[in-house]
């Protein structure tokens, strides 16, 4: 069974097999987690992303899918890039958000990664409400068959940590009852 842990901090400092990047579809870097991973990981990540764009992902990485590159100078082996959906009040995109976590775990299994660090996908500029994102992320990871032994949610800020801690406590409580 996959152990789920929560930590406050900087995802670029995690000593894990794979770090998940909340990427934009261009794969060429951006703001938030994406920008931090590209800055700290160095040019090797961008070079591999450019190769992906020149090949199978010429139009960009579709929402909910995942693809891996080197981690460059990060203390991880790989970066798994996934594109989260933009939050919408008029259209339910929760399945697309769940797909980000499922696809990332599938890629982690293909790589042989056993420890994976996730950010709170889609909660930054994509506007997903933190409580709902936490519930979707944790439920999806718990329900997804994987060989990953530890999923670590690396949360930037107190609000994110509290939301994920509450969702995890609720999920564990309902699993026992």
């Amino acid at each position: 069974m996959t152990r789920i842990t929560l930590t406050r901090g900087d995802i670029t400092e995690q000593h894990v097999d794979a770090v998940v990047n909340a990427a934009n579809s261009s794969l060429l870097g951006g703001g938030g987690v994406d920008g931090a991973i590209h800055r700290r990981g160095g040019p090797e990540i961008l070079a591999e992303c450019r190769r992906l764009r020149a090949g199978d992902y010429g139009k960009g990485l579709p929402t909910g899918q995942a693809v891996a590159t080197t981690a460059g100078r990060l203390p991880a082996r790989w970066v798994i890039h996934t594109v989260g959906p933009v939050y919408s009040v008029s259209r339910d995109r929760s399945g697309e958000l769940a797909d980000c976590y499922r696809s990332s775990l599938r890629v982690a299994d293909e790589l042989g990664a056993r420890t994976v660090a996730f950010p709170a996908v889609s909660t930054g500029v994509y506007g997903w409400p933190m409580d709902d994102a936490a519930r979707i992320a944790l439920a999806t990871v718990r329900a997804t068959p994987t060989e990953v032994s530890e999923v670590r949610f690396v949360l930037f800020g107190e609000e994110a940590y509290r939301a994920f801690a509450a969702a995890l406590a609720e999920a564990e409580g309902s699993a026992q009852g």
Side-chain angles (χ1 to χ4, degrees):
M1 184 168 163
T2 303
R3 181 169 51 110
I4 297 173
T5 59
L6 309 178
T7 188
R8 270 177 291 233
D10 182 344
I11 199 163
T12 68
E13 297 175 354
Q14 300 302 304
H15 292 264
V16 291
D17 294 331
V19 168
V20 176
N21 180 19
N24 63 52
S25 65
S26 79
L27 295 175
L28 302 178
V33 169
D34 192 19
I37 285 174
H38 276 271
R39 280 190 302 278
R40 177 109 190 259
E44 299 88 350
I45 296 172
L46 182 57
E48 280 197 36
C49 285
R50 283 190 173 132
R51 281 193 289 280
L52 289 168
R53 286 299 305 271
D56 293 341
Y57 299 100
K59 294 182 179 179
L61 183 64
T63 300
Q65 291 189 20
V67 66
T69 65
T70 180
R73 299 174 189 157
L74 297 175
R77 190 163 176 196
W78 300 286
V79 173
I80 299 171
H81 307 266
T82 191
V83 180
V86 174
Y87 181 74
S88 170
V89 293
S90 62
R91 188 169 147 223
D92 181 9
R93 294 186 171 143
S94 56
E96 293 172 75
L97 182 57
D99 285 343
C100 291
Y101 293 96
R102 278 190 289 270
S103 296
S104 295
L105 290 170
R106 179 187 46 75
V107 170
D109 284 342
E110 290 169 1
L111 295 168
R114 295 298 171 253
T115 54
V116 178
F118 278 98
V121 176
S122 285
T123 61
V125 296
Y126 287 5
W128 207 285
M130 192 63 72
D131 292 341
D132 193 45
R135 181 188 55 75
I136 292 166
L138 290 163
T140 303
V141 167
R142 288 173 64 96
T144 302
T146 182
E147 295 298 314
V148 172
S149 59
E150 181 192 0
V151 167
R152 183 182 310 163
F153 286 96
V154 182
L155 305 158
F156 188 80
E158 188 62 30
E159 176 201 0
Y161 186 84
R162 278 197 313 268
F164 272 75
L168 184 59
E170 184 177 313
E172 289 174 346
S174 66
Q176 293 173 2

